Amino acid sequence: MGLLTDPRAGTGKTIKFLLKREKQLCFLLYIGGVICTMFLAVPAFNDHTYFSENALLPGLVTKESNLENTSKQFYAKLLHEMERYPNSMPYAWLSAKFNQLHLDTFVHNFSLTYPFKKQKFVGQNIYGIVRAPKAASTEAIIVSVPFRPMNSIYLSTAPSVALLLAFAKFCRKQKYWAKDIIFLITEHEQLGMQAWLDAYHGVTSGQEGVLVAGDLPGHAGSIQAAINLELHAMKISSVDVKVEGLNGQLPNLDLFNLAQNMIAKEEIQKTFQRRVDSTDTNELRKWWYQFNTLMTMIATQATGIPSGNHGLFHRFGIEAVTLEGFEKTGKSSEVNFYHVGRVVESMVRSLNNLLERFHQSYFFYLLPSTDRYISISLYMRPLVLIVASLFIKAFSIWQKLQSPVLQNGDKKNVQIQNVKVKRFDIGNIASEILWAHIFGVCLLLSPQMFTSVGRQIWNLRTEDSIYFGNVVATVLTLLWPLYSRRSVKYKNALLVCVIASVELATALICIAMCNFSLALLAASVYVPAALLSTPRQGSAPGFRVLLYILWILLHPFVASSIIIMGYTYLNFPGESFLSLIFRGYHATKQAFVFSIIDSMIYGNWFYNVTTTVMLPIWLLFWNIICLKNTP
């Protein structure tokens, strides 16, 4: 409190240096943060993965399974059933197979009420339980597969279902299980998994009345870990381990290490982000390759969308990964389900050895390859450097407001004289901040209104109503300085700039605690723009025009559209320009709807954070650079 009340505060050499070299220091910190991020892929700034939980006993398990022939038999019969039911899951056949294997078999019914049209969809999950013969059903392990019918737009998971059935047959005959094993086949991708998890734990993760999970007819013990299988062929060339979960959550690093270790022991090509580890002897090229792998993970994690069904387990304290196997392409070697089955067996048996929940190793990490990791103690430093520049800018402006900087004849010597500070217009400042945040909350609650108005007046589809509603909202925010036509005192605008900078910095740090990747990407683009943004007073017109263009591009709606357009170009590089624009336009509309739906069903907070945090901060900075100032 002394710094705030002492009239001599701000006269020290350090403060004088900050006030004199504020801009240079801020941009030096930002550039340093970006460079440190790039250095994370250098071996000196990461480490080899290792096991913290010795109770897993990885590699000490004597594998006994040979699931190749059994999987082939189940696969042939399953394909026949799928041809009979090309649009749905063969519930009766799957239930019959579980019963024939003498599993405790149950059917779980769930429904989804589409929030914008009040349409109702139904689905079913099939699961069977192998009870632990030497325990009291207090703990459980899950092996799951998302069922995809023949007309699905995604790659088939029929081989995964065949392997699951073969492994269930093998497990039923063993007597060493200390945990229940749940074999789960879900319908409608992540909807089925979310409904099953909600029903198992008796909770509702999203909005009430949207995803109705129903009740489960049978339970097992407390779930310790889960393995989700997405094998797309009976003979595969590689297995990719997917870890990204809902809202950027990750499983315990030991589980990822276990999967990679078991895959390597079976001499299967292991990948991460569908990229094989680099064996290049050139250190520069190897670093660039690993840096691209790292950035791919950051881009995937930043969306907050799970990369597989495993990602929905993390919010319940359940460690889970997805093993995705791809069909052989080119000259790559291939393996059959004898090897893949032994990977699943060794992982489940290692998990069976656990005496307690995963609690050692890391829950916060980044991965540049399959066998190296970056701990939170290292990857937080670049973000702290970037965010620190915002605090320095805010502190510098605040000091100038308290003690205006006056330069004498010698420009090298800076003297700070305490003067009587005029009172701020608190009402004007509070109004500026309050209305910006109210607008964000209104936009968060607007999808239902956009949809209703668009359907009733113009008979628009849901995606069109939401898209054009956001377009209108974006235009209103961009035109705010024109129709407001009000001037703000320069010192009041400076104080708003201080508050906006501190809020942006604080928001980025808070986001990083849950989803570091999202915070890092947001900081990389918003911080330099925020450092350049000050109330207009004597700045060059050309610079202001560039600043306007920069902030227009950084509007959350515009920035999202640009990113989706770029993603469309990367996936369809051979398309014509008009075709890319058309594809990107449709992809943008669908992305907005999906982000809203995800927040309602799964509790994904990407849309919520964008509208209630990032948009109000954007509005504050936009008003700062656009509003006319008076002395």
Side-chain angles (χ1 to χ4, degrees):
M1 293 298 293
L3 290 176
L4 299 178
T5 58
D6 189 351
R8 296 171 298 175
T11 60
K13 292 183 179 180
T14 303
I15 303 301
K16 290 180 180 180
F17 175 79
L18 286 177
L19 296 178
K20 185 177 181 180
R21 302 295 182 187
E22 169 216 339
K23 292 183 179 179
Q24 296 91 325
L25 183 59
C26 287
F27 282 98
L28 182 63
L29 286 172
Y30 174 79
I31 297 300
V34 173
I35 293 174
C36 287
T37 301
M38 299 180 71
F39 278 168
L40 291 177
V42 176
F45 292 91
N46 53 59
D47 202 356
H48 280 285
T49 55
Y50 62 92
F51 285 97
S52 299
E53 183 55 82
N54 293 324
L56 285 169
L57 300 176
L60 299 183
V61 174
T62 303
K63 290 166 276 193
E64 304 172 358
S65 65
N66 186 349
L67 308 181
E68 170 70 5
N69 294 329
T70 310
S71 297
K72 285 183 177 179
Q73 294 171 7
F74 281 125
Y75 182 64
K77 295 177 182 178
L78 177 60
L79 286 181
H80 177 71
E81 288 297 318
M82 291 176 65
E83 290 174 356
R84 294 178 57 192
Y85 305 98
N87 300 316
S88 62
M89 188 164 74
Y91 313 105
W93 185 86
L94 291 171
S95 296
K97 290 302 174 186
F98 276 152
N99 283 317
Q100 290 172 11
L101 296 176
H102 303 289
L103 275 61
D104 291 349
T105 306
F106 307 97
V107 176
H108 169 230
N109 298 293
F110 65 92
S111 63
L112 171 71
T113 302
Y114 190 67
F116 299 121
K117 289 185 179 179
K118 300 304 179 183
Q119 291 178 312
K120 191 171 184 178
F121 304 90
V122 296
Q124 287 185 334
N125 300 319
I126 310 294
Y127 66 104
I129 304 174
V130 172
R131 302 290 181 182
K134 297 183 179 180
S137 293
T138 56
E139 296 178 339
I141 303 169
I142 287 184
V143 180
S144 66
V145 173
F147 183 87
R148 294 170 184 168
M150 298 192 74
N151 64 353
S152 173
I153 61 174
Y154 302 107
L155 295 174
S156 173
T157 56
S160 305
V161 177
L163 180 63
L164 179 142
L165 294 172
F167 185 57
K169 183 177 181 179
F170 166 80
C171 292
R172 184 66 181 82
K173 300 176 182 178
Q174 311 308 315
K175 302 299 181 184
Y176 45 66
W177 301 117
K179 297 176 174 62
D180 294 342
I181 304 178
I182 303 173
F183 297 92
L184 172 63
I185 302 175
T186 60
E187 191 176 19
H188 301 315
E189 298 295 328
Q190 294 178 9
L191 278 177
M193 181 59 74
Q194 185 64 60
W196 192 88
L197 286 169
D198 280 357
Y200 196 91
H201 295 91
V203 299
T204 300
S205 299
Q207 282 189 12
E208 291 284 347
V210 178
L211 181 61
V212 181
D215 298 318
L216 288 185
H219 283 73
S222 174
I223 303 171
Q224 306 294 299
I227 303 170
N228 185 59
L229 302 177
E230 293 184 12
L231 308 171
H232 307 307
M234 292 300 292
K235 290 186 178 181
I236 61 175
S237 60
S238 64
V239 174
D240 191 71
V241 182
K242 299 197 288 190
V243 295
E244 297 84 6
L246 183 69
N247 294 326
Q249 285 187 276
L250 300 172
N252 188 278
L253 186 58
D254 271 345
L255 184 58
F256 174 81
N257 296 338
L258 175 64
Q260 296 290 5
N261 187 280
M262 296 301 112
I263 293 169
K265 280 187 176 295
E266 291 300 323
E267 299 183 349
I268 304 173
Q269 188 179 70
K270 57 180 184 177
T271 64
F272 177 65
Q273 300 296 335
R274 300 187 67 173
R275 294 165 63 88
V276 183
D277 287 350
S278 174
T279 57
D280 201 320
T281 56
N282 183 286
E283 293 298 326
L284 181 60
R285 287 198 298 265
K286 187 174 182 178
W287 162 80
W288 179 247
Y289 186 88
Q290 292 188 344
F291 177 71
N292 278 277
T293 304
L294 174 64
M295 293 309 297
T296 303
M297 177 187 179
I298 288 176
T300 304
Q301 186 186 20
T303 64
I305 301 173
S307 56
N309 279 6
H310 70 279
L312 300 174
F313 285 89
H314 300 156
R315 64 145 51 101
F316 299 99
I318 302 169
E319 312 311 317
V321 295
T322 288
L323 305 182
E324 186 171 17
F326 297 94
E327 192 172 6
K328 174 185 175 181
T329 56
K331 297 181 180 179
S332 58
S333 59
E334 65 180 12
V335 294
N336 56 32
F337 273 19
Y338 168 76
H339 301 281
V340 180
R342 290 166 77 88
V343 170
V344 177
E345 180 202 356
S346 56
M347 288 187 66
V348 173
R349 292 187 63 179
S350 294
L351 294 171
N352 186 61
N353 293 332
L354 277 178
L355 302 177
E356 52 190 342
R357 286 184 178 273
F358 284 98
H359 65 283
Q360 302 190 68
S361 195
Y362 293 92
F363 291 90
F364 300 93
Y365 53 87
L366 295 175
L367 299 167
S369 66
T370 63
D371 58 357
R372 302 194 70 86
Y373 77 99
I374 305 164
S375 71
I376 186 173
S377 61
L378 291 174
Y379 70 63
M380 281 297 290
R381 296 176 188 181
L383 181 64
V384 170
L385 287 175
I386 295 173
V387 170
S389 61
L390 289 174
F391 284 116
I392 289 177
K393 176 192 176 182
F395 178 76
S396 176
I397 295 176
W398 176 253
Q399 284 295 322
K400 291 175 183 177
L401 285 171
Q402 299 301 307
S403 305
V405 177
L406 301 176
Q407 294 187 356
N408 291 335
D410 185 1
K411 295 184 178 179
K412 294 183 180 179
N413 297 322
V414 179
Q415 295 180 349
I416 301 179
Q417 301 177 356
N418 292 302
V419 299
K420 185 178 180 181
V421 180
K422 298 179 181 179
R423 292 182 178 180
F424 296 106
D425 187 350
I426 300 300
N428 184 284
I429 295 170
S431 173
E432 196 80 26
I433 297 170
L434 180 63
W435 281 111
H437 288 80
I438 287 177
F439 184 86
V441 173
C442 290
L443 195 61
L444 173 67
L445 304 175
S446 65
Q448 294 280 8
M449 182 193 69
F450 288 158
T451 305
S452 177
V453 172
R455 185 187 306 114
Q456 294 178 10
I457 299 179
W458 295 286
N459 196 28
L460 296 176
R461 295 180 301 175
T462 298
E463 59 185 33
D464 292 319
S465 300
I466 292 177
Y467 179 82
F468 290 120
N470 279 280
V471 168
V472 172
T474 301
V475 172
L476 289 176
T477 56
L478 293 175
L479 296 180
W480 168 257
L482 294 181
Y483 59 75
S484 63
R485 293 185 180 278
R486 51 194 185 90
S487 60
V488 179
K489 290 184 178 180
Y490 183 64
K491 60 185 180 61
N492 290 334
L494 281 175
L495 184 56
V496 174
C497 188
V498 170
I499 295 172
S501 299
V502 171
E503 183 177 3
L504 176 59
T506 306
L508 291 173
I509 291 296
C510 292
I511 293 172
M513 294 297 101
C514 298
N515 190 339
F516 168 80
S517 298
L518 177 60
L520 179 65
L521 294 181
S524 299
V525 295
Y526 280 98
V527 168
L531 294 178
L532 293 170
S533 301
T534 53
R536 69 162 85 176
Q537 194 177 62
S539 55
F543 173 76
R544 305 304 297 186
V545 171
L546 292 176
L547 202 57
Y548 295 151
I549 295 174
L550 176 60
W551 276 106
I552 290 173
L553 295 177
L554 290 180
H555 189 287
F557 179 88
V558 179
S560 300
S561 302
I562 293 173
I563 292 171
I564 296 170
M565 288 288 184
Y567 184 78
T568 303
Y569 172 75
L570 292 176
N571 284 272
F572 304 96
E575 298 275 351
S576 64
F577 178 76
L578 289 177
S579 178
L580 284 174
I581 295 295
F582 186 74
R583 281 182 179 273
Y585 165 69
H586 281 282
T588 303
K589 292 194 298 183
Q590 293 175 352
F592 287 165
V593 174
F594 289 155
S595 64
I596 296 168
I597 296 277
D598 282 354
S599 69
M600 292 179 172
I601 298 176
Y602 307 109
N604 187 331
W605 44 257
F606 183 85
Y607 177 75
N608 304 47
V609 168
T610 301
T611 53
T612 60
V613 179
M614 299 309 297
L615 181 59
I617 292 174
W618 182 93
L619 272 172
L620 291 177
F621 278 108
W622 181 248
N623 290 341
I624 288 169
I625 65 173
C626 290
L627 292 177
K628 296 179 180 179
N629 306 124
T630 58

